[in-house]
Amino acid sequence: MASRASRIPSKRERIPFYRNVKVIGTLLQLLFLAVVLIGIFIVYSNISSALQRSNLPASFRFLGDRAGIPIGESAIRYSTSDTYLRALIVGVLNTLRVALLGIVLASLLGVTVGVMRLSKNWLVSRIAGGYVELLRNTPLAVQLVFWFSAVLVPIPPRITNPIELPGGIMFSQVGLALPWLQPSYNFNRWLPWLLGAMAVFVVFYFFQRRRLEHMDRPGRAWRTPLLLFLLIAGGGYVVASLNSSVPEGTVIDFDPDRGRGDVFIDRDGDGRLGRDETPLVGAEVMVRIDEGIIQTNTSNFIESRQMVYSTFRFPALREHEFTSARLEFANPEDAERFDIHVLTFPTVGVIYEDRNGNGEYDPGEEFVAGDGPVAGFGGVPIVLRVEGFERRVITNRDGRFRLPIFESPAVLEAVAEEAEEQQPAGGGGGLGSLFGPPGGAEDEVSELAAAAELLPSGPLVVSVPSVPRSDYTGGVTLSAPYLALLLGLVIYTASFIAEVVRGGILAVPKGQREAAKAVGLSDSQTFRLIVFPQALRIILPPMISQFLNLTKNSSLAILVTFQDFFAISNIVANQTGATIPVILIVIGGYLIISLTFAFILNIVNDKLALVER
Amino acid sequence: MLAARKPPVRDGGVISWLRENLFSSVGNTLTTFVVGAVLLYLGVGLLRWIFIEATWGPLWRNLRLLAVYRYPAPLVWRPLSVVAIFIALLGLSAGIARGRGGTIIAGVYWQFAAVVFLITIIALATNWPMRWAWFGVSVAALAGYGLGALVPRLERILLWLWLASLPATIVLIYGLPFAHPTSAMRVVPVREWGGILLTFVLTTGIIPAFPLGIALALGRRSKLPAIKAFCIGVIELVRGAPLITWLFIASLLVPLVFNVEATRIPALLRAYVAIALFATAYMAENVRGGLQSVPRGQYEAAQALGLSSWQMTRLIILPQALRAVIPAIVGQSIGLFKDTSLVFILGLLDLFNVHNVVAQQPESIMVTGGVRLELSLFLCLFYFCFAYRLSVASRQLERHLGVGTR
């Protein structure tokens, strides 16, 4: 024993440096650092010589250059003449737009499915289980392409034949258009009231909370402040509406022949929207066209995965927008051969040959282009005659409104006269009429009898979508790529959230449920008041990491042609060759997103941590 | 004395099960009927679509494209023999495990074997060119299982067999570098790989991620600040951005880092680097979870025994930690398997991207409405088959290992 004890080094004896843990550690770290630094140096020198060799830009200066990238949809004003920096910002906003709405919807769906999985009804719980397993175990990329290329593009009707849902909602291949409250040019009159109301709410809320805490009583601190907020904001709205006025010198530059108009404050008095003149945003305009025609040709196409024959489409008009409408053939000889079968009055229909002579349209009687003389010219010309067309339109953020393009009925008469004049001489009049009005007739064509009138608008205006040509105007549009991305992300992420929710609910001790039952709470009360609040504590942290996943997964937008941050970065890198700067921007962007979520997670964790004795 | 009572009605039987699970109350009954009706409607619609409305021609004609893309037709037996090796080894493992009551691996084996049998039957029935090769795969599957069940002593070399299958796979798919260009073992350049083959090749990115991830995880728990900071930095940086951006970055950066012409590094290699890197970071986090689950007492006991820190890590900590994270690693592999679809960004033609190619073929576009739905269904089925079965196995494993309950 004594000999053993003597082995313990005395204070004077020192451990040799090569066995000293601290020395070894320091040396190891130095060695490691040296290796890392050498590695970085090699990579750096390789990259810089490669950049020099290929002459690629290595600084961020290119961000100020003109990008020229067409971007389909943007939350802010953007045109191809804007800079790369602005294009990237548009991308960031697009990512946020899809991620934020996606997070809200995915949570709702995820909680629903998660609760369904625990349903006592076997069928319901099995369906929820099947949903989760199916979606978790297939790649998101496959799902996104499915939603976009297999569902949202081929199945809905074309934009010219949108599905109209109650409330002015429209749905087509191009996407979903919803009515929307839009701030008008009078919004500024309401803004101080709104800000004031918010300030009152915040101040009052904290005051109320303090008071309740002080009295040590439970209660809803937000009730009275919310009432105050509504009162002030609502009262302010009424006052602002009464005060609303059209600014001095406002002019409507309405061009009915091109189906559009600009509303702006005309400073130089030339009646046209100049560069430095202010457009009037969110202005309500009542447009009236006393009598007008629209011409189109029938055509064959695939719609909703089906072949559609000799169908014509006019820009959608709603029943209340006109006093009378009539469909007719442009060429009298067509009228002898064909009949019109109206599908949606007055804008969509099929022309058919009544082969069985029953005077009605039967499937199979469509005129199939390819037989007959007119086939080569893209179908049969059809005319829609509209009287008393009236539409309330809202100007967009460029102060512009758009309408279907009407022509004056005089155009037809002029063409008919022309044809009659030429018939005896050449006999080619039939062809001429198909190619549109001949040059000589232009001067004789009278202008459309049209008018546009500015309506007084309050701080907010209701903008209802419409289809002037082959796109939506007014309201808010969720494009097909955006919808596909949103749908894919929400449905995919919800399957993960459902599992989190299920786990969280199951983790609440059984005793809690039994205690709630014993106190006499009903099933729904037990769930709402006892189980869910406790489960939330377990659910929230993993749920937030699912939110992060959703945001990161939105980078797959490129698959559905949605232009998010990553897609635009990709284009920028390809266009400028500024590889390294773009890589840094992309990594930086996503790191900021990740860190933000980590920060939120930490706050939530702190708030949720059980206060233990 | 209490009078004798009849036994409770609600004990066993179909009717009582129905009553309890579907018709326990008015609301429940109503739900059952409504949900059942919707389900029936959708199911009938789906079946109708599959058997009547869908156009399966383009998919059927392009099966080889979807499976191996442009891998030379006379050499398709090579990837197929890899399938045979794997299913045989799986069978061997399942057969050996049978003797010890192991059911998890047997479940996986029987499902994959069933798929192989099904393909063989279809191949034989419709006269595929590769029908006899598929027959061979089926035979290999059964032979492996039989061998394992009959000779359980093979367990001793099982691990070595699995390890040996790796170089064999590489040789079979890539070929022998010095083989004559017309011989059966000639090199098949990586740009000709594609389809399901490429999807699996990319999924093997999890293999290099395993040692690298363990190293990073150990580094992250190191007491040396420089090493710790480096490992945390790498892990969080890689995890911070989505895989698709790393693929994009790798495609741009790898040629620059090695200072060579972009065309000299095949896209597959760049994708592989990105995938392996990404998998490494996630693997490191998984392993860290395992390391944290090892109780403190294990470290102290190892130190008390006088083990060096390397010995302690190798002999005491890692075996326990890795055992605990097997389910998580299986889960990660499934995730990676699904994520390989993102290599489209590099223009690589894995199964997902080949499906886009097939959908855009003129014959497919000629079909009214396209064949996207059909192809999507096929892809879903393929990915689901693998991912779901493995996730079930991972859950069984979790229960078997008792993770979280100890």
Side-chain angles (χ1 to χ4, degrees):
Chain A
M1 287 310 270
S3 66
R4 264 207 132 166
S6 70
R7 273 210 216 135
I8 296 170
S10 64
K11 272 181 190 170
R12 239 176 283 156
E13 248 181 299
R14 298 181 92 192
I15 306 168
F17 74 92
Y18 53 85
R19 290 193 63 191
N20 186 331
V21 177
K22 275 187 185 165
V23 176
I24 292 175
T26 316
L27 282 178
L28 249 178
Q29 291 190 65
L30 282 176
L31 188 71
F32 180 76
L33 276 182
V35 169
V36 169
L37 283 178
I38 290 170
I40 289 176
F41 176 74
I42 292 173
V43 167
Y44 177 78
S45 65
N46 271 351
I47 288 179
S48 58
S49 69
L51 286 179
Q52 266 176 7
R53 196 174 39 129
S54 51
N55 236 338
L56 294 174
S59 80
F60 288 93
R61 241 169 285 145
F62 74 93
L63 284 175
D65 297 347
R66 185 177 170 278
I69 304 171
I71 299 181
E73 48 193 310
S74 158
I76 52 173
R77 266 185 188 209
Y78 175 84
S79 72
T80 47
S81 56
D82 281 321
T83 60
Y84 283 111
L85 182 64
R86 199 168 171 89
L88 286 168
I89 291 173
V90 169
V92 170
L93 291 176
N94 276 347
T95 294
L96 289 180
R97 216 152 60 91
V98 80
L100 293 180
L101 187 56
I103 284 171
V104 173
L105 296 179
S107 322
L108 292 176
L109 185 61
V111 170
T112 313
V113 176
V115 172
M116 271 169 70
R117 270 205 92 167
L118 296 170
S119 162
K120 275 185 199 150
N121 189 308
W122 181 83
L123 206 54
V124 172
S125 77
R126 276 306 148 106
I127 287 175
Y131 169 93
V132 169
E133 292 302 347
L134 181 68
L135 291 157
R136 279 197 333 166
N137 288 312
T138 34
L140 177 59
V142 174
Q143 294 182 30
L144 285 175
V145 169
F146 168 76
W147 289 118
F148 186 64
S149 306
V151 175
L152 284 175
V153 170
I155 290 180
R158 297 183 167 208
I159 176 81
T160 43
N161 184 28
I163 300 171
E164 293 199 44
L165 300 169
I169 300 167
M170 288 177 147
F171 183 57
S172 74
Q173 261 181 2
V174 172
L176 184 71
L178 307 164
W180 201 246
L181 269 184
Q182 199 181 321
S184 81
Y185 54 92
N186 276 321
F187 185 72
N188 284 347
R189 292 177 193 275
W190 186 42
L191 194 62
W193 291 91
L194 196 61
L195 292 177
M198 279 180 192
V200 167
F201 176 81
V202 171
V203 169
F204 234 80
Y205 173 74
F206 281 104
F207 173 73
Q208 196 79 351
R209 217 174 64 170
R210 267 296 242 342
R211 208 170 62 102
L212 286 173
E213 259 169 34
H214 194 72
M215 296 192 312
D216 201 16
R217 269 174 55 184
R220 297 203 167 88
W222 49 266
R223 271 198 183 163
T224 326
L226 188 69
L227 198 69
L228 272 177
F229 172 85
L230 289 177
L231 272 179
I232 297 173
Y237 191 85
V238 173
V239 174
S241 300
L242 293 175
N243 273 338
S244 300
S245 64
V246 176
E248 196 82 358
T250 301
V251 162
I252 305 177
D253 175 17
F254 181 33
D255 188 352
D257 294 321
R258 295 161 94 173
R260 67 179 192 210
D262 295 314
V263 183
F264 55 98
I265 301 166
D266 194 18
R267 258 192 230 107
D268 53 9
D270 67 346
R272 304 223 166 267
L273 177 57
R275 240 170 202 290
D276 50 347
E277 285 172 331
T278 331
L280 223 54
V281 180
E284 284 183 272
V285 180
M286 183 58 98
V287 184
R288 195 166 47 249
I289 292 169
D290 297 333
E291 195 181 6
I293 60 159
I294 312 178
Q295 301 194 57
T296 193
N297 284 349
T298 62
S299 58
N300 309 333
F301 46 84
I302 294 171
E303 182 172 78
S304 307
R305 289 172 67 91
Q306 278 170 355
M307 195 67 205
V308 176
Y309 291 104
S310 61
T311 301
F312 61 85
R313 298 278 174 74
F314 291 100
L317 305 179
R318 293 189 166 104
E319 287 279 350
H320 65 268
E321 287 179 333
F322 53 86
T323 49
S324 83
R326 203 166 71 240
L327 286 163
E328 54 196 46
F329 288 98
N331 300 330
E333 57 265 36
D334 288 337
E336 288 161 23
R337 190 173 159 202
F338 304 117
D339 290 300
I340 293 175
H341 173 67
V342 178
L343 295 170
T344 308
F345 183 76
T347 52
V348 182
V350 173
I351 65 164
Y352 67 101
E353 289 171 291
D354 193 13
R355 295 198 193 97
N356 59 7
N358 65 351
E360 270 176 34
Y361 164 75
D362 300 293
E365 287 187 336
E366 300 96 350
F367 164 64
V368 179
D371 60 334
V374 275
F377 298 100
V380 176
I382 307 282
V383 174
L384 171 65
R385 230 177 247 277
V386 179
E387 277 172 31
F389 172 76
E390 273 190 330
R391 181 177 279 180
R392 198 187 66 103
V393 289
I394 309 279
T395 55
N396 66 7
R397 55 186 174 213
D398 297 318
R400 171 163 286 188
F401 62 83
R402 298 190 312 134
L403 290 174
I405 299 179
F406 286 94
E407 288 175 288
S408 161
V411 173
L412 276 185
E413 284 149 31
V415 169
E417 275 169 31
E418 192 89 2
E420 261 171 44
E421 277 166 27
Q422 284 188 1
Q423 204 77 15
L431 285 181
S433 68
L434 287 167
F435 287 117
E442 240 167 57
D443 299 336
E444 300 158 29
V445 173
S446 66
E447 291 259 318
L448 270 172
E453 180 195 345
L454 204 61
L455 300 176
S457 45
L460 294 173
V461 287
V462 181
S463 177
V464 181
S466 63
V467 181
R469 265 146 270 174
S470 54
D471 55 350
Y472 293 118
T473 185
V476 63
T477 307
L478 309 179
S479 70
Y482 178 81
L483 275 183
L485 184 61
L486 190 68
L487 209 61
L489 285 175
V490 165
I491 290 179
Y492 181 74
T493 313
S495 69
F496 290 88
I497 292 181
E499 281 301 274
V500 168
V501 169
R502 185 179 82 115
I505 292 173
L506 285 180
V508 175
K510 211 177 165 193
Q512 296 286 330
R513 245 174 262 249
E514 289 164 353
K517 276 259 161 69
V519 176
L521 298 183
S522 73
D523 271 1
S524 93
Q525 278 176 325
T526 308
F527 185 75
R528 256 185 321 115
L529 303 174
I530 307 296
V531 178
F532 199 71
Q534 296 187 70
L536 207 59
R537 215 181 270 283
I538 306 160
I539 290 170
L540 261 185
M543 198 141 144
I544 290 172
S545 74
Q546 287 306 328
F547 295 165
L548 173 61
N549 282 348
L550 186 147
T551 311
K552 287 204 274 182
N553 282 336
S554 70
S555 55
L556 295 193
I558 202 165
L559 272 174
V560 294
T561 70
F562 183 74
Q563 280 160 312
D564 74 326
F565 174 53
F566 175 68
I568 290 178
S569 307
N570 205 341
I571 299 173
V572 171
N574 286 335
Q575 223 171 65
T576 61
T579 318
I580 302 293
V582 172
I583 288 175
L584 291 178
I585 290 172
V586 168
I587 297 183
Y590 281 103
L591 271 190
I592 289 173
I593 291 174
S594 294
L595 291 177
T596 311
F597 275 96
F599 179 70
I600 295 171
L601 186 64
N602 278 341
I603 292 178
V604 169
N605 273 338
D606 282 353
K607 285 254 170 195
L608 286 183
L610 279 174
V611 186
E612 283 172 358
R613 276 154 295 180
Chain B
M1 272 290 273
L2 284 168
R5 274 185 290 182
K6 280 184 183 172
V9 192
R10 292 181 166 206
D11 260 4
V14 180
I15 295 186
S16 77
W17 182 90
L18 281 178
R19 188 175 295 164
E20 212 160 284
N21 290 296
L22 292 175
F23 307 107
S24 63
S25 67
V26 178
N28 212 340
T29 309
L30 211 65
T31 316
T32 301
F33 279 119
V34 172
V35 172
V38 171
L39 208 63
L40 203 67
Y41 176 77
L42 292 178
V44 169
L46 185 67
L47 288 177
R48 229 182 87 91
W49 179 78
I50 288 176
F51 289 107
I52 299 171
E53 289 160 22
T55 315
W56 296 103
L59 177 65
W60 181 250
R61 279 194 295 278
N62 285 302
L63 275 180
R64 202 170 69 82
L65 219 56
L66 288 162
V68 292
Y69 196 55
R70 264 196 262 149
Y71 203 88
L75 301 184
V76 171
W77 62 269
R78 276 162 43 178
L80 218 73
S81 40
V82 173
V83 176
I85 289 175
F86 270 87
I87 194 84
L89 278 177
L90 202 59
L92 193 64
S93 312
I96 290 168
R98 197 184 75 134
R100 296 175 306 153
T103 53
I104 297 172
I105 194 153
V108 176
Y109 163 73
W110 280 116
Q111 193 204 312
F112 289 154
V115 172
V116 167
F117 298 152
L118 187 70
I119 295 175
T120 308
I121 291 169
I122 294 174
L124 287 172
T126 56
N127 267 340
W128 278 3
M130 296 304 293
R131 58 187 181 279
W132 295 114
W134 274 107
F135 188 71
V137 175
S138 294
V139 171
L142 287 175
Y145 187 79
L147 196 65
L150 290 176
V151 196
R153 288 201 1 245
L154 282 174
E155 189 178 3
R156 268 180 287 172
I157 57 161
L158 189 61
L159 184 67
W160 295 110
L161 284 176
W162 274 107
L163 286 178
S165 73
L166 204 65
T169 303
I170 294 170
V171 167
L172 275 170
I173 292 178
Y174 183 73
L176 291 168
F178 306 110
H180 193 265
T182 54
S183 70
M185 286 311 293
R186 65 173 183 259
V187 170
V188 179
V190 289
R191 63 172 182 278
E192 290 179 12
W193 303 6
I196 293 172
L197 168 67
L198 190 62
T199 296
F200 281 119
V201 167
L202 289 168
T203 310
T204 60
I206 197 94
I207 295 173
F210 196 64
L212 290 173
I214 293 174
L216 272 184
L218 290 173
R220 188 168 186 166
R221 281 170 66 85
S222 159
K223 287 196 187 73
L224 308 176
I227 293 174
K228 187 174 180 175
F230 175 81
C231 291
I232 291 179
V234 170
I235 292 172
E236 294 306 328
L237 183 72
V238 173
R239 272 159 38 97
L243 176 59
I244 195 169
T245 61
W246 288 114
L247 287 165
F248 163 75
I249 288 167
S251 82
L252 295 175
L253 207 58
V254 169
L256 289 182
V257 168
F258 294 104
N259 194 8
V260 292
E261 287 293 328
T263 46
R264 277 189 48 205
I265 300 182
L268 174 61
L269 199 64
R270 294 184 224 173
Y272 204 85
V273 168
I275 285 178
L277 180 76
F278 193 72
T280 299
Y282 278 84
M283 181 68 79
E285 282 304 271
N286 279 338
V287 172
R288 185 167 78 116
L291 290 175
Q292 279 170 345
S293 77
V294 178
R296 177 108 209 99
Q298 296 287 327
Y299 290 85
E300 286 159 359
Q303 279 162 348
L305 283 176
L307 297 184
S308 74
S309 72
W310 171 236
Q311 280 174 321
M312 175 178 77
T313 308
R314 194 165 54 91
L315 299 172
I316 309 293
I317 307 305
L318 271 185
Q320 295 185 69
L322 293 184
R323 220 174 104 87
V325 295
I326 292 173
I329 291 174
V330 174
Q332 199 205 333
S333 310
I334 297 170
L336 194 67
F337 171 65
K338 293 190 298 165
D339 282 347
T340 54
S341 50
L342 303 186
V343 294
F344 72 87
I345 200 89
L346 289 166
L348 278 176
L349 287 145
D350 73 321
L351 175 64
F352 172 70
N353 215 5
V354 174
H355 120 274
N356 280 328
V357 170
V358 171
Q360 281 154 15
Q361 283 173 347
E363 306 91 83
S364 308
I365 295 173
M366 291 293 281
V367 176
T368 306
V371 292
R372 286 278 186 184
L373 277 174
E374 291 83 348
L375 286 169
S376 291
L377 193 71
F378 174 75
L379 251 66
C380 267
L381 211 65
F382 170 78
Y383 283 106
F384 183 77
C385 250
F386 283 92
Y388 176 64
R389 194 61 194 81
L390 287 181
S391 75
V392 168
S394 132
R395 256 172 282 163
Q396 289 170 336
L397 213 59
E398 205 167 342
R399 233 170 297 146
H400 179 71
L401 294 173
V403 178
T405 53
R406 260 183 310 180

